Amino acid sequence: MADRLWSYPELKHVTVNQYNSSSEELAQQVNKIYHRGENIRSAEDIDKIKRGKTIFNKNQRL
């Protein structure tokens, strides 16, 4: 299956909580809240978001 696009609420949740939780915990939270508990997002997906530019950190130097 191709990579699924991220929704605004998902990105916001990851960005806000990235320093409070591990990638595994964030993946579980996102899946529970936005995907009815299905394993849509993985820890690797969360790490990609943390490393990449998003609408929330587009003006910051990474």
Side-chain angles (χ1 to χ4, degrees):
M1 184 167 129
D3 286 338
R4 204 170 168 160
L5 293 177
W6 286 79
S7 68
Y8 177 87
E10 286 178 291
L11 287 174
K12 184 177 178 185
H13 184 86
V14 171
T15 303
V16 168
N17 295 297
Q18 67 182 332
Y19 301 113
N20 300 332
S21 303
S22 69
S23 296
E24 294 82 16
E25 291 171 337
L26 279 174
Q28 290 174 351
Q29 290 172 13
V30 168
N31 286 330
K32 181 179 177 187
I33 296 168
Y34 302 105
H35 301 289
R36 297 184 186 135
E38 295 179 33
N39 288 328
I40 304 295
R41 303 296 183 203
S42 67
E44 291 81 24
D45 295 334
I46 300 294
D47 288 335
K48 285 181 191 176
I49 294 301
K50 287 180 176 181
R51 287 191 309 267
K53 287 209 177 266
T54 67
I55 57 177
F56 298 106
N57 65 5
K58 65 183 180 181
N59 296 325
Q60 297 175 359
R61 298 181 92 197
L62 297 176

